[in-house]
Amino acid sequence: MSVAYKSIQWNRFKITYDILLWVSIALYIALFTWSAHLMGPDLDMRGLQIRAYGSAAFLLLHVILSIGPLCRLDRRFLPLLYNRRHMGVTMFLLGLVHVIGFNLAKIPLLDKIPSINKFPLKTTGALTWYHDFGNLDPIVSLFAGNTHYESFIRFPFESLGVIGLAILFLMAITSHDFWLANLTAPIWKGLHMLVYVAYAALVGHVVLGAIQTNRHPILTIMVGLGLVWITAIHLIAALRERKGDRPVANATPAVDNYVEIGSISEIPDNRAKIVAVAGERVAVFKYDGKVSAISNVCQHQNGPLGEGKVIDGCITCPWHGYQYLPETGGSPPPFAESVPTFNVRLEGDRIFISTIPNPPGTQTPAAPIHPGMEGRA
Amino acid sequence: MNSFAIACIPHLMRVISIYLTIGAIFSIPFVTFLIRFVDPSARGLAIGFRLLIIPGVCIFWPLFVWRLIRRKQTPTERNIHRLRAQQNAA
Amino acid sequence: MNPDPMNKRDSQASNPTEDEFFSGYSRLPKGIKRFLFRFIPLLFVGVALFGFFVPRLHDQFNAGKFGGGELQGFLVGEPVPHLLVPRKGKVESGSKFSRYLLSANNKAGVSAKVTDHVGKWVKIKGLMVHRNNLTLMTTGKAEPVAAPANAPIAPEPGIELGEFSLKGEILDGKCYPGVMKPGQGKTHRACAIRCISGGVPAVFLSHNDQGDPLYFLLADSAGKAVNKQVLEMVADPLEITGQVTQYGDFFLLKADPSSYKLS
């Protein structure tokens, strides 16, 4: 029996995370508004709020896209990754407010509260501000207002924004674990990798829209630096990743379907060595005087199990703490996830693992480390 | 003003809204009781969870209609280790 | 060694040199906690700096303002509806009239309740939007009034200034002086198209050599409104060659819209 779904599996860390996230966004919007007021006390803020929410979303997207590679470069960033999906949903909501605005007193259910009008929390979106009150439906005006797709300078930046928001919408609505389970992690991840398409579209949206009419050099430099930063940390993280990804199966020939992957002494206690065997990475763990090997791919979000740790006798994924028993590859009850395991054999301090994976959940005895094995050449 | 675009967009919008409306109608029986036939982890009251997945069901409803008809449940991902393990066991 | 007995409760490493591991449901290990306590304030400083300085980079604040008002004057229909209001005091040089463009309250030109009175003296109540010397009033109706006793009898004829080639962009006479930020350029294009298509006067913004803005009301070679013909060129960089006529502080640029060139 699996664990029943809940809306959100709250814990203290997630609550702190969300509070910090929302406080920082409220701080940004408040400072933006205040700073604009300082420039012109009688400015009409409606048009500026569109910029406030749009820029908040764009900045948050840079934070979101930085978390992945930063975690690859320094594990201490992993707590930021743990609840990243709340950041993503928040970013989508900021983008949505940028487009359609927000009025606390008009939200279904909330509008039934009699004193709701005392909280005048509302803002106008770009769709209303620029496209409504005319002789066309605002949505039609949005797409038909500019159709110069053949030109770079005149390119309709609105459509790029729509592409970005549509992708963020798809990601936001599939952020619950129900979707991970029902679409399966590889497809879900493919869908969520579209965030890079969204980023490209939104950079285009900003460059061909805001920056083209608001030609402030610092604004252009900032967007450029953002793009360079995101590209650079992804490249650095990818290069690092590739270094550790040489398949051992090719280096040493397999003997009766076993391949040598290294020595016991090179694996720290309760940690793993990651090697590529049978076309994918395998995590070889050393714990409690034993060695076990399981597929490196967490069933939850395909996180790298080999970068995890054995805690309370379970291999624990570094991303969201999903756990697997080393000798079966199955999650302890009531959880139902399981990953393939690999037979392990020790010869002296050398570790050999089978090139043929066992089906998930198969009882696979760990190889015991006998005294004197470790450290022997 | 591009008159072709002005003529096409309302039709496109209509097609999209029909698709979403079918999804919205389907999502009501789906999240209340049909869901347990495709995913046994959807148990209990869990109102928050059921409401939370409605927007996604409005988009991905054909997938669940298909699974309900084929009487299929939550699939397991396919990756190379799982496939090889399966081949070897067979 | 850390003598704090609380540390004993941590199931994981309390010493940062030990092998720390984060999982959301257990306590934050010491070293990671220390790292986050340094890194998250840094993020907040970033948020504060961006929040304060990003609006400062916004260069499209205009002094355009809304304000209620009432005007009495002579209503003219061509090329677009506008109101001639006699100037008070001595008018030594220039026109005897100030000129106000008119539009409805939404993205549309004035309704028949206004245009029915073209050629008459009227009173108009509405919202005034102005920027530099371009002023537009949004209104729903006009009421006929008697011509003021000492009013100039009829609008003076314009002064033909000759043919000019001007570079600039077409914008709508309402959002540009109004509260839109920006009320011109590419980001505002769709809005300007809606306004001009609805009947708000199309205005050509050009600049003189000193960089001062010059506004030209657009008309075709016959002096009629060009709203429907210019929609595809709104907010694009244009060069227009045509006859310029001066009416007081107001310029009219007459050219066939098919002769407008992208510049």
Side-chain angles (χ1 to χ4, degrees):
Chain A
M1 205 62 172
S2 56
V3 174
Y5 292 123
K6 274 187 188 170
S7 54
I8 298 169
Q9 302 273 3
W10 287 113
N11 59 39
R12 217 178 75 163
F13 183 79
K14 278 191 193 176
I15 293 169
T16 317
Y17 191 107
D18 284 9
I19 289 173
L20 288 174
L21 172 64
W22 284 68
V23 164
S24 67
I25 288 161
L27 178 74
Y28 179 82
I29 301 288
L31 275 173
F32 193 105
T33 312
W34 177 66
S35 179
H37 265 296
L38 286 184
M39 293 175 76
D42 50 356
L43 273 177
D44 188 292
M45 277 307 292
R46 279 173 294 179
L48 267 175
Q49 293 287 17
I50 297 172
R51 289 276 167 98
Y53 284 92
S55 58
F58 194 59
L59 286 168
L60 187 57
L61 182 58
H62 282 81
V63 176
I64 292 169
L65 290 179
S66 302
I67 292 174
L70 284 179
C71 288
R72 296 250 138 260
L73 299 173
D74 188 333
R75 287 179 180 184
R76 290 177 298 176
F77 284 108
L78 278 167
L80 295 179
L81 181 131
Y82 181 68
N83 208 20
R84 185 171 51 174
R85 66 177 91 179
H86 286 197
M87 232 184 225
V89 174
T90 305
M91 194 239 152
F92 161 69
L93 292 176
L94 287 171
L96 193 66
V97 171
H98 169 72
V99 175
I100 66 169
F102 176 76
N103 189 345
L104 193 67
K106 287 222 170 122
I107 290 177
L109 297 176
L110 283 183
D111 58 358
K112 302 280 184 292
I113 303 169
S115 56
I116 194 80
N117 278 320
K118 286 182 189 153
F119 304 95
L121 206 56
K122 62 176 179 181
T123 171
T124 312
L127 193 60
T128 314
W129 195 233
Y130 289 125
H131 301 277
D132 209 351
F133 314 113
N135 53 6
L136 262 189
D137 183 87
I139 296 278
V140 178
S141 165
L142 178 71
F143 290 107
N146 183 354
T147 51
H148 291 296
Y149 289 95
E150 78 291 344
S151 160
F152 177 71
I153 288 300
R154 295 164 85 195
F155 196 89
F157 73 102
E158 294 94 341
S159 306
L160 293 171
V162 170
I163 292 170
L165 192 67
I167 292 171
L168 295 171
F169 171 70
L170 274 182
M171 291 172 65
I173 61 169
T174 57
S175 66
H176 193 275
D177 274 351
F178 168 80
W179 296 102
L180 260 168
N182 280 277
L183 297 175
T184 71
I187 293 171
W188 187 89
K189 274 180 86 82
L191 184 70
H192 284 238
M193 280 294 174
L194 288 178
V195 72
Y196 292 103
V197 178
Y199 178 63
L202 292 176
V203 169
H205 175 71
V206 172
V207 168
L208 296 175
I211 284 185
Q212 207 169 304
T213 36
N214 195 146
R215 293 185 186 179
H216 198 297
I218 295 180
L219 205 59
T220 315
I221 290 168
M222 274 182 1
V223 175
L225 282 180
L227 185 62
V228 170
W229 161 256
I230 295 293
T231 316
I233 52 170
H234 276 82
L235 282 178
I236 294 168
L239 282 177
R240 255 216 196 176
E241 194 82 337
R242 248 179 55 177
K243 259 189 220 161
D245 222 13
R246 282 179 232 114
V248 264
N250 297 344
T252 42
V255 183
D256 20 292
N257 294 328
Y258 275 81
V259 63
E260 187 187 330
I261 63 103
S263 73
I264 301 169
S265 53
E266 66 183 284
I267 308 177
D269 258 340
N270 296 322
R271 289 285 193 176
K273 177 180 183 178
I274 300 173
V275 289
V277 172
E280 177 57 89
R281 293 177 202 170
V282 176
V284 186
F285 275 91
K286 183 169 94 178
Y287 61 101
D288 292 346
K290 292 179 281 188
V291 176
S292 285
I294 68 170
S295 181
N296 188 52
V297 186
C298 179
Q299 197 184 334
H300 173 231
Q301 266 187 33
N302 289 175
L305 290 177
E307 289 169 35
K309 189 178 176 182
V310 177
I311 293 173
D312 305 327
C314 287
I315 292 167
T316 309
C317 181
W319 283 7
H320 302 92
Y322 273 61
Q323 293 193 305
Y324 302 88
L325 292 162
E327 296 190 30
T328 63
S331 295
F335 299 97
E337 288 76 16
S338 63
V339 297
T341 56
F342 291 80
N343 291 340
V344 182
R345 203 166 69 194
L346 302 179
E347 285 174 20
D349 78 332
R350 311 308 298 171
I351 305 170
F352 292 81
I353 70 167
S354 166
T355 55
I356 301 163
N358 300 320
T362 310
Q363 186 72 41
T364 310
I369 304 169
H370 299 300
M373 266 182 167
E374 216 164 338
R376 219 167 61 186
Chain B
M1 209 60 197
N2 194 321
S3 54
F4 176 73
I6 293 178
C8 282
I9 291 156
H11 292 291
L12 209 70
M13 289 297 146
R14 201 159 307 138
V15 171
I16 293 171
S17 65
I18 289 169
Y19 179 87
L20 293 179
T21 310
I22 297 172
I25 294 167
F26 169 76
S27 74
I28 297 162
F30 181 76
V31 300
T32 43
F33 68 97
L34 290 174
I35 190 170
R36 66 195 159 95
F37 297 111
V38 293
D39 191 339
S41 298
R43 294 189 304 268
L45 204 54
I47 293 174
F49 157 70
R50 287 165 202 272
L51 290 176
L52 211 55
I53 63 163
I54 286 178
V57 177
C58 292
I59 302 277
F60 290 100
W61 61 268
L63 175 75
F64 297 112
V65 170
W66 179 249
R67 288 213 181 128
L68 284 169
I69 293 170
R70 299 288 304 268
R71 293 168 189 279
K72 293 239 163 132
Q73 287 200 341
T74 307
T76 308
E77 67 175 87
R78 294 157 65 86
N79 66 33
I80 186 126
H81 280 171
R82 286 174 193 273
L83 287 175
R84 290 214 178 158
Q86 216 171 42
Q87 282 164 10
N88 194 48
Chain C
M1 285 301 287
N2 194 329
D4 186 355
M6 291 293 282
N7 284 336
K8 295 219 171 73
R9 278 200 214 151
D10 288 6
S11 63
Q12 289 173 39
S14 57
N15 184 337
T17 56
E18 283 177 37
D19 182 19
E20 290 191 333
F21 185 76
F22 165 80
S23 76
Y25 38 76
S26 53
R27 258 170 185 249
L28 269 179
K30 271 277 150 62
I32 294 178
K33 198 172 191 172
R34 193 172 308 153
F35 174 73
L36 291 178
F37 267 69
R38 261 182 248 152
F39 180 71
I40 289 170
L42 214 66
L43 276 181
F44 270 82
V45 170
V47 166
L49 288 176
F50 276 109
F52 188 80
F53 287 109
V54 168
R56 307 254 144 182
L57 303 177
H58 191 99
D59 62 4
Q60 291 148 2
F61 294 103
N62 66 49
K65 278 189 200 113
F66 273 128
E70 186 186 296
L71 293 173
Q72 283 198 21
F74 186 78
L75 187 62
V76 182
E78 295 289 338
V80 289
H82 61 283
L83 195 68
L84 306 184
V85 179
R87 283 186 171 165
K88 294 207 175 79
K90 270 195 165 179
V91 187
E92 294 289 330
S93 61
S95 175
K96 299 186 191 73
F97 296 97
S98 291
R99 284 162 171 82
Y100 296 91
L101 296 175
L102 298 173
S103 84
N105 292 315
N106 56 352
K107 291 174 187 171
V110 282
S111 67
K113 283 181 186 167
V114 176
T115 51
D116 282 352
H117 305 292
V118 163
K120 292 177 197 158
W121 286 85
V122 291
K123 181 170 83 178
I124 289 177
K125 272 190 201 171
L127 273 179
M128 208 110 78
V129 279
H130 57 88
R131 179 171 183 175
N132 303 323
N133 61 340
L134 181 69
T135 308
L136 174 137
M137 184 173 232
T138 72
T139 185
K141 62 173 190 206
E143 281 173 47
V145 289
N150 54 351
I153 302 143
E156 68 268 67
I159 307 157
E160 296 292 340
L161 297 181
E163 192 181 74
F164 288 88
S165 276
L166 298 158
K167 282 187 176 176
E169 70 166 301
I170 300 175
L171 38 85
D172 68 274
K174 186 179 175 211
C175 293
Y176 170 78
V179 293
M180 291 276 176
K181 290 171 189 63
Q184 67 186 98
K186 192 179 175 189
T187 39
H188 183 258
R189 178 187 159 101
C191 179
I193 291 177
R194 295 273 56 78
C195 278
I196 294 172
S197 145
V200 174
V203 173
F204 190 67
L205 166 67
S206 189
H207 290 89
N208 64 13
D209 292 339
Q210 285 78 48
D212 306 317
L214 299 171
Y215 306 108
F216 298 86
L217 206 55
L218 287 173
D220 64 12
S221 8
K224 303 277 180 196
V226 292
N227 290 40
K228 300 287 174 202
Q229 293 117 284
V230 301
L231 295 179
E232 265 304 292
M233 292 173 278
V234 169
D236 286 334
L238 290 182
E239 183 171 350
I240 302 179
T241 306
Q243 293 292 330
V244 176
T245 315
Q246 184 178 6
Y247 296 91
D249 51 2
F250 215 91
F251 297 99
L252 181 71
L253 176 57
K254 279 199 271 190
D256 186 18
S258 62
S259 72
Y260 296 179
K261 280 197 298 260
L262 277 176
S263 71

